[in-house]
Amino acid sequence: HETGSLSIVVLGASGDLAKKKTFPALFHLYRQGFLPPDEVHIFGYARTKISDDELRSRLRGYLVPAKGASPQHQEDVEKFLQLIKYVSGSYDSEDGFRLLDKEISKHEYLKNSVEGLSRRLFYLALPPSVYPSVCKMIKTYCMNKSDLGGWTRVVVEKPFGRDLDSAEELSTEIGKLFEEPQIYRIDHYLGKELVQNLLVLRFANRFFLPLWNRDNIDNVQIVFREDFGTEGRGGYFDQYGIIRDIIQNHLLQVLCLVAMEKPVSLRPEHIRDEKVKVLESVLPIRDDEVVLGQYQGYKDDPTVPDESNTPTFATVILRIHNERWEGVPFILKAGKALNSRKAEIRVQFKDVPGDIFKCKRQGRNEFVIRLQPSEAIYMKLTVKQPGLEMSTVQSELDLSYGQRYQGVTIPEAYERLILDTIRGDQQHFVRRDELKASWKIFTPLLHRIDEGELKPSPYKPGSRGPAEADELLEKAGYVQTHGY
Ligand code: BG6
């Protein structure tokens, strides 16, 4: 454990992300003792001119107790809020960042009565358009200056650019100012419990080793559904669309962990090397393996232009050209305003050869990892229907976390990832070459959508999405067992 002062600066402190995710995650870390008050100071920075107390009262409403929280909770909230100071300034203001540095240094001095390091963490809860100027300001005015050592790290959020060129441009700009080990590109899906479990499941279980390949697996689905639309975020969303918002980052990261080879070790570089290899093996996306949709009513949002061509739903098949996966479709599907909220991975196995039970009619073996809600891992398999008849039925081996791990709190993705940043562990962050390879896969498709060459089909809010998506799934070989 490093000691010395730790200054956490949340830039964009009055924005949605900061209020809903960053500060609550910091609060949870604080409650668990990961942010000791004698070392830590938290700063909010944003353009709005408000006082420390105004920021605190804006945040208070977001630090709501979890069910069953102790009465101690409210007391902790107040103590935590006292650690937060606010500095206002614009994102390219020299004065603003000078002032920020002064504030940080002042508190570092106070907290550094014990000799130690000066650690400075800058969390950019901001749109990427201001990343270069903010990074430049941090580099010029706010770096750790302690003779005793320490570090300065920056955390950036997606979307990192709009396509391959803009992402590379952004990476180059930031790369001129910070070294790769100082840059933490967050993809919060990598902080989810069951996403982190993928490595363990795949490489610590003998079961899966011989089965995890094209000889046994027929198709893989990685699905994200939300049962609400883009309410309140239409303006942002319309510039990006579902592929940039969910598929190119969250679902593709999950795909990497499902498909990659075993890394040499658990060292972040070894893991990320394997992920990059998967991404670089993905073949160009075929037009007949894409379905786009836009829910009816999306354009009623006054911040969305009437002629918007932006997809709020997409199914895209990726094909990995390597020895393990040749011929196995990886079906990535994401949609807003659908019939349910769910994120899951479904690995569907091939039919049993020489089947004597007619299993196919009931469904194939499937290995399902439900990321949310209600984390679960289950295996669908065919068993004998209990009773006198010799008939078969589909059943499940079910590891539902709610039952198996009763009373265990599963940490929020952001909580875990911020802690990793403090600890200097980049395993669950996206490396520059990974980012580049992900944009390379989707850029041609995105450009065609942007140019209006591919148009989304309308679908009803609350439905499964456009019917063509189910047809594509079937064409790809997926055999549906029961409606989900
Ligand atoms: C964000 C997207 O990255 O992820 C949102 O911008 C989406 O559109 C959100 O709603 C989903 O995150 P989670 O953790 O709720 O699945």
Side-chain angles (χ1 to χ4, degrees), residues 158 188-189 192 224 226 233 236 245-246 250 336 341 372:
K158 61 157 251 278
H188 79 281
Y189 266 60
K192 291 191 186 277
F224 167 97
E226 262 176 357
R233 296 173 76 222
Y236 150 80
D245 191 47
I246 304 287
H250 303 329
K336 299 254 173 199
R341 174 171 182 258
Q372 66 193 31

Tab-separated table of all heavy atoms in Angstrom, residues 158 188-189 192 224 226 233 236 245-246 250 336 341 372, ligand 1:
chain	number	residue	atom	x	y	z
A	158	LYS	N	-15.269	6.637	-22.747
A	158	LYS	CA	-15.677	6.568	-24.133
A	158	LYS	C	-16.691	7.671	-24.427
A	158	LYS	O	-17.259	8.186	-23.473
A	158	LYS	CB	-16.265	5.196	-24.450
A	158	LYS	CG	-17.526	4.873	-23.604
A	158	LYS	CD	-18.363	3.862	-24.278
A	158	LYS	CE	-19.633	4.466	-24.796
A	158	LYS	NZ	-20.684	4.607	-23.790
A	188	HIS	N	-16.571	0.465	-18.919
A	188	HIS	CA	-17.049	-0.016	-17.614
A	188	HIS	C	-17.527	-1.465	-17.662
A	188	HIS	O	-17.640	-2.105	-16.630
A	188	HIS	CB	-18.083	0.939	-17.001
A	188	HIS	CG	-19.466	0.816	-17.546
A	188	HIS	ND1	-19.844	1.360	-18.734
A	188	HIS	CD2	-20.575	0.207	-17.050
A	188	HIS	CE1	-21.127	1.102	-18.944
A	188	HIS	NE2	-21.597	0.404	-17.942
A	189	TYR	N	-17.756	-2.014	-18.861
A	189	TYR	CA	-18.117	-3.436	-18.917
A	189	TYR	C	-16.994	-4.314	-18.385
A	189	TYR	O	-17.234	-5.383	-17.857
A	189	TYR	CB	-18.577	-3.824	-20.336
A	189	TYR	CG	-20.079	-3.706	-20.399
A	189	TYR	CD1	-20.685	-2.482	-20.160
A	189	TYR	CD2	-20.893	-4.818	-20.599
A	189	TYR	CE1	-22.063	-2.368	-20.118
A	189	TYR	CE2	-22.272	-4.713	-20.561
A	189	TYR	CZ	-22.854	-3.482	-20.319
A	189	TYR	OH	-24.210	-3.385	-20.261
A	192	LYS	N	-17.394	-5.234	-14.731
A	192	LYS	CA	-18.542	-6.010	-14.235
A	192	LYS	C	-18.076	-7.373	-13.736
A	192	LYS	O	-17.202	-7.998	-14.352
A	192	LYS	CB	-19.592	-6.169	-15.348
A	192	LYS	CG	-20.271	-4.838	-15.686
A	192	LYS	CD	-21.456	-5.030	-16.577
A	192	LYS	CE	-22.045	-3.717	-17.033
A	192	LYS	NZ	-22.966	-3.095	-16.065
A	224	PHE	N	-27.049	-7.128	-25.615
A	224	PHE	CA	-27.333	-6.038	-24.678
A	224	PHE	C	-28.710	-5.505	-25.025
A	224	PHE	O	-28.959	-5.121	-26.171
A	224	PHE	CB	-26.280	-4.927	-24.858
A	224	PHE	CG	-26.631	-3.626	-24.181
A	224	PHE	CD1	-26.131	-3.323	-22.927
A	224	PHE	CD2	-27.465	-2.702	-24.801
A	224	PHE	CE1	-26.455	-2.124	-22.296
A	224	PHE	CE2	-27.791	-1.500	-24.184
A	224	PHE	CZ	-27.278	-1.214	-22.925
A	226	GLU	N	-31.899	-2.877	-23.587
A	226	GLU	CA	-32.410	-1.947	-22.585
A	226	GLU	C	-33.879	-1.734	-22.841
A	226	GLU	O	-34.307	-1.689	-24.007
A	226	GLU	CB	-31.662	-0.603	-22.648
A	226	GLU	CG	-30.562	-0.513	-21.618
A	226	GLU	CD	-29.712	0.754	-21.694
A	226	GLU	OE1	-29.929	1.590	-22.598
A	226	GLU	OE2	-28.840	0.907	-20.848
A	233	ARG	N	-31.004	11.905	-23.354
A	233	ARG	CA	-29.647	11.835	-23.910
A	233	ARG	C	-29.678	11.813	-25.435
A	233	ARG	O	-28.687	11.479	-26.082
A	233	ARG	CB	-28.956	10.556	-23.453
A	233	ARG	CG	-28.721	10.417	-21.995
A	233	ARG	CD	-28.201	9.024	-21.696
A	233	ARG	NE	-26.800	8.839	-22.054
A	233	ARG	CZ	-26.331	7.744	-22.647
A	233	ARG	NH1	-27.115	6.776	-22.989
A	233	ARG	NH2	-25.040	7.636	-22.913
A	236	TYR	N	-26.848	13.608	-27.394
A	236	TYR	CA	-25.578	12.875	-27.396
A	236	TYR	C	-25.696	11.636	-28.270
A	236	TYR	O	-24.891	11.392	-29.164
A	236	TYR	CB	-25.190	12.460	-25.963
A	236	TYR	CG	-24.382	11.179	-25.916
A	236	TYR	CD1	-23.019	11.192	-26.194
A	236	TYR	CD2	-24.984	9.932	-25.661
A	236	TYR	CE1	-22.277	10.008	-26.199
A	236	TYR	CE2	-24.258	8.757	-25.664
A	236	TYR	CZ	-22.906	8.794	-25.930
A	236	TYR	OH	-22.186	7.634	-25.951
A	245	ASP	N	-22.015	3.447	-29.253
A	245	ASP	CA	-22.347	3.574	-27.828
A	245	ASP	C	-22.133	2.253	-27.072
A	245	ASP	O	-21.711	2.262	-25.922
A	245	ASP	CB	-23.820	4.020	-27.697
A	245	ASP	CG	-24.178	4.445	-26.284
A	245	ASP	OD1	-23.404	5.220	-25.684
A	245	ASP	OD2	-25.233	4.002	-25.764
A	246	ILE	N	-22.434	1.157	-27.706
A	246	ILE	CA	-22.415	-0.134	-26.990
A	246	ILE	C	-21.545	-1.202	-27.673
A	246	ILE	O	-20.778	-1.903	-27.028
A	246	ILE	CB	-23.863	-0.708	-26.873
A	246	ILE	CG1	-24.811	0.294	-26.200
A	246	ILE	CG2	-23.858	-2.061	-26.179
A	246	ILE	CD1	-24.618	0.479	-24.721
A	250	HIS	N	-18.281	-1.942	-25.476
A	250	HIS	CA	-18.669	-2.908	-24.442
A	250	HIS	C	-18.755	-4.350	-24.982
A	250	HIS	O	-18.152	-5.261	-24.432
A	250	HIS	CB	-20.024	-2.539	-23.831
A	250	HIS	CG	-20.081	-1.158	-23.232
A	250	HIS	ND1	-18.985	-0.551	-22.675
A	250	HIS	CD2	-21.109	-0.267	-23.101
A	250	HIS	CE1	-19.341	0.651	-22.215
A	250	HIS	NE2	-20.618	0.847	-22.473
A	336	LYS	N	-31.884	-0.300	-27.786
A	336	LYS	CA	-32.581	0.540	-26.800
A	336	LYS	C	-34.085	0.344	-27.008
A	336	LYS	O	-34.518	0.013	-28.118
A	336	LYS	CB	-32.246	2.020	-27.067
A	336	LYS	CG	-30.754	2.321	-26.948
A	336	LYS	CD	-30.468	3.058	-25.677
A	336	LYS	CE	-28.996	3.235	-25.441
A	336	LYS	NZ	-28.653	3.537	-24.074
A	341	ARG	N	-34.539	-5.523	-20.057
A	341	ARG	CA	-33.186	-5.045	-19.817
A	341	ARG	C	-32.337	-6.241	-19.437
A	341	ARG	O	-32.611	-6.922	-18.442
A	341	ARG	CB	-33.171	-4.018	-18.674
A	341	ARG	CG	-31.760	-3.605	-18.312
A	341	ARG	CD	-31.685	-2.433	-17.350
A	341	ARG	NE	-30.286	-2.115	-17.115
A	341	ARG	CZ	-29.613	-2.461	-16.010
A	341	ARG	NH1	-30.213	-3.111	-15.042
A	341	ARG	NH2	-28.337	-2.155	-15.901
A	372	GLN	N	-26.145	-9.082	-16.373
A	372	GLN	CA	-27.096	-8.289	-15.595
A	372	GLN	C	-28.476	-8.394	-16.201
A	372	GLN	O	-28.567	-8.701	-17.391
A	372	GLN	CB	-26.666	-6.813	-15.562
A	372	GLN	CG	-26.734	-6.173	-16.942
A	372	GLN	CD	-26.045	-4.844	-17.026
A	372	GLN	OE1	-25.087	-4.587	-16.343
A	372	GLN	NE2	-26.550	-3.984	-17.878
B	1	BG6	C1	-23.135	3.376	-21.460
B	1	BG6	C2	-23.951	3.824	-22.639
B	1	BG6	O1	-21.793	3.235	-21.829
B	1	BG6	O2	-23.624	2.138	-20.996
B	1	BG6	C3	-25.420	3.887	-22.285
B	1	BG6	O3	-23.507	5.091	-23.073
B	1	BG6	C4	-25.902	2.609	-21.646
B	1	BG6	O4	-26.200	4.182	-23.434
B	1	BG6	C5	-24.951	2.176	-20.544
B	1	BG6	O5	-27.192	2.838	-21.129
B	1	BG6	C6	-25.315	0.789	-20.046
B	1	BG6	O6	-24.533	0.465	-18.930
B	1	BG6	P1	-25.034	-0.641	-17.923
B	1	BG6	O7	-23.900	-0.795	-16.980
B	1	BG6	O8	-26.286	-0.125	-17.306
B	1	BG6	O9	-25.294	-1.854	-18.752
